[in-house]
Amino acid sequence: MFGNVFEVFSKDLGIDLGTVNTLVYTQGRGIVINSPSVVALNKKTGRILAIGEEARQMLGKTPTHIVASKPLTQGVISEFEITEQMLRSFMNQLSADKINVMPRPRVVIGVPSGVTEVEKRAVEEAARNAGARKVHLIEEPIAAALGARLGVQDPVGHMIVDIGGGTTEIAVISLGGIVLRESLQAAGTKMNEDIINYAREELQLLLGERTAEMVKIVAGSALPLNEPIQTTMRGRDVVNGLPKEVVVTDEHIRRAIAPSVRTIVDAVRSTVEQTPPELIADIMENGIVLAGGGSLLRGLPELLEYETKIAVKITDDPLTAVVRGCGIAIEHLDEMQDILVDIDNESK
Ligand code: ADP
Ligand code: MG
């Protein structure tokens, strides 16, 4: 049918350019790319060797002439050209897979709320250089709320807590805008660092980042568990430099990440305390909504609920909420103009 043919030619994109994971949504197909934000480069030639999962596997294992780089830091671009190359490679992958036949799609990209003009323009330019025809930006908490199917444009208060890799973003949303927000560095990557530091100081064990991440996912928790979990951490002995294996329990990991968990809980509480009364009444009725990979930490919703006295729920598939929200925005661009971010001095 001709209708379908035209559909194939009009694939615009929603992109979540995350510190840890980049996801791409295309109209009609849903999420077509879900990949670590990692690029492996040959330093001598400047050539890209691998992108995404393949590059992530190289982290901490590269010889001196290869560098596995994460081009985003705390939600914003820290290495412009590498980000651009990463985006271009994802977009090329879509045309190679015949998913996106349109050569220059329009895109909606999420940016952390509170980014600077320079940071906004960097995202816009990277996407444009990577092949986008028109770039719209959306604040990530709004995208997450859209992805969670909250009535973002209603005169109703919603609280979204997006615990990602680089940052935790706390936001109160009403009428398509952000009323209050807080951004913290206490998030997934910080918890991995907590585990690395704990292992070094308390267990005399040097750990790699990927091991720390694995241990966090296998045994991490915000509250004591009914069924204890045990796992082994493999690394190197601080003292003699030899390989070493230590059996740890959820309690060790909980102690290691406790400061970051505490920081998140305190910031959510303080945001609740600053929320205007009418909005807090809405939030008490609708609950606090969690998104981002960090929201999967065991016991975190329960702890937040206990500390705020407000119901807390994790949105379905929290790792994809932002990109699904970007997808909704690109599919309904006309109705979404008000909630998209303005880019100053935009001459195009
Ligand atoms: P970003 O938007 O910064 O790219 P994501 O929302 O994709 O981040 O979440 C990635 C973070 O979520 C990582 O730090 C990862 O360790 C963490 N994460 C993923 N799954 C879990 C889990 N089951 N428990 C705890 N943390 C998790
Ligand atoms: Mg994110």
Side-chain angles (χ1 to χ4, degrees), residues 15-24 33-40 50-57 59 68-73 75-79 82-83 86-87 90 140 165-166 209:
I15 301 178
D16 172 7
L17 192 54
T19 308
V20 173
N21 295 303
T22 294
L23 294 86
V24 180
I33 286 178
N34 184 348
S35 176
S37 308
V38 185
V39 178
I51 285 186
E53 185 53 38
E54 203 188 329
R56 195 184 77 94
Q57 299 283 343
L59 282 173
S69 142
K70 299 184 190 169
L72 291 117
T73 311
V76 299
I77 296 178
S78 50
E79 294 178 80
I82 299 179
T83 303
M86 183 175 81
L87 276 177
F90 288 144
E140 279 167 0
E209 194 190 325

Side-chain angles (χ1 to χ4, degrees), residues 18-21 163-166 188-189 192 213 216-217 292-294 296-297 319:
T19 308
V20 173
N21 295 303
I163 306 165
T189 304
N192 297 351
E213 159 103 6
K216 175 184 71 180
I217 290 177
L296 295 170
L297 183 71
L319 281 147

Side-chain angles (χ1 to χ4, degrees), residues 29-343:
R29 287 250 189 170
I31 297 161
V32 286
I33 286 178
N34 184 348
S35 176
S37 308
V38 185
V39 178
L41 288 165
N42 182 326
K43 275 202 290 192
K44 285 187 206 145
T45 62
R47 238 170 46 90
I48 289 191
L49 301 173
I51 285 186
E53 185 53 38
E54 203 188 329
R56 195 184 77 94
Q57 299 283 343
M58 297 180 186
L59 282 173
K61 296 186 179 176
T62 50
T64 48
H65 68 289
I66 295 176
V67 48
S69 142
K70 299 184 190 169
L72 291 117
T73 311
Q74 281 152 29
V76 299
I77 296 178
S78 50
E79 294 178 80
F80 184 82
E81 266 134 53
I82 299 179
T83 303
E84 188 185 304
Q85 291 186 44
M86 183 175 81
L87 276 177
R88 182 177 306 128
S89 137
F90 288 144
M91 283 160 79
N92 287 343
Q93 197 176 317
L94 295 182
S95 29
D97 295 348
K98 303 260 182 301
I99 288 173
N100 200 320
V101 184
M102 193 164 67
R104 293 182 69 80
R106 297 180 301 174
V107 304
V108 168
I109 304 192
V111 290
S113 66
V115 291
T116 63
E117 286 303 318
V118 173
E119 288 161 347
K120 279 191 240 170
R121 241 164 299 143
V123 172
E124 194 213 5
E125 220 177 293
R128 207 183 276 275
N129 293 349
R133 163 165 51 101
K134 176 83 189 141
V135 181
H136 301 276
L137 304 181
I138 185 169
E139 288 171 295
E140 279 167 0
I142 305 249
L146 280 173
R149 302 262 164 208
L150 305 180
V152 171
Q153 284 159 307
D154 302 341
V156 173
H158 294 286
M159 185 179 285
I160 282 273
V161 181
D162 177 358
I163 306 165
T167 60
T168 293
E169 304 278 328
I170 305 166
V172 175
I173 294 167
S174 175
L175 289 165
I178 291 180
V179 180
L180 263 181
R181 57 165 210 88
E182 176 78 77
S183 175
L184 313 170
Q185 293 180 15
T189 304
K190 177 67 174 46
M191 291 183 202
N192 297 351
E193 290 165 11
D194 290 344
I195 293 171
I196 291 171
N197 292 336
Y198 178 90
R200 195 184 50 232
E201 278 153 32
E202 306 290 324
L203 309 167
Q204 282 70 54
L205 177 69
L206 292 178
L207 280 188
E209 194 190 325
R210 286 177 49 208
T211 305
E213 159 103 6
M214 218 169 63
V215 169
K216 175 184 71 180
I217 290 177
V218 171
S221 66
L223 285 172
L225 304 173
N226 293 332
E227 307 255 323
I229 301 174
Q230 259 194 9
T231 186
T232 27
M233 295 203 294
R234 288 202 183 89
R236 203 147 55 78
D237 192 306
V238 173
V239 181
N240 61 22
L242 295 174
K244 176 167 162 172
E245 217 178 69
V246 178
V247 175
V248 288
T249 64
D250 55 285
E251 200 190 326
H252 290 104
I253 308 306
R254 195 159 49 248
R255 229 182 292 151
I257 63 176
S260 296
V261 170
R262 186 33 58 190
T263 304
I264 294 170
V265 170
D266 287 348
V268 172
R269 270 183 71 151
S270 127
T271 308
V272 167
E273 283 160 16
Q274 292 166 55
T275 303
E278 293 294 352
L279 295 177
I280 212 64
D282 294 339
I283 292 165
M284 286 180 73
E285 196 173 316
N286 300 323
I288 296 172
V289 176
L290 305 189
S295 67
L296 295 170
L297 183 71
R298 290 178 194 79
L300 187 58
E302 292 82 358
L303 179 62
L304 282 168
E305 208 164 88
Y306 175 79
E307 293 273 348
T308 58
K309 311 282 177 263
I310 298 176
V312 173
K313 53 193 167 201
I314 305 180
T315 187
D316 292 341
D317 204 2
L319 281 147
T320 65
V322 168
V323 80
R324 283 183 289 111
C326 293
I328 293 172
I330 194 80
E331 283 176 350
H332 301 88
L333 257 189
D334 291 344
E335 300 141 59
M336 297 285 168
Q337 289 305 326
D338 287 354
I339 67 174
L340 295 171
V341 178
D342 293 325
I343 307 172

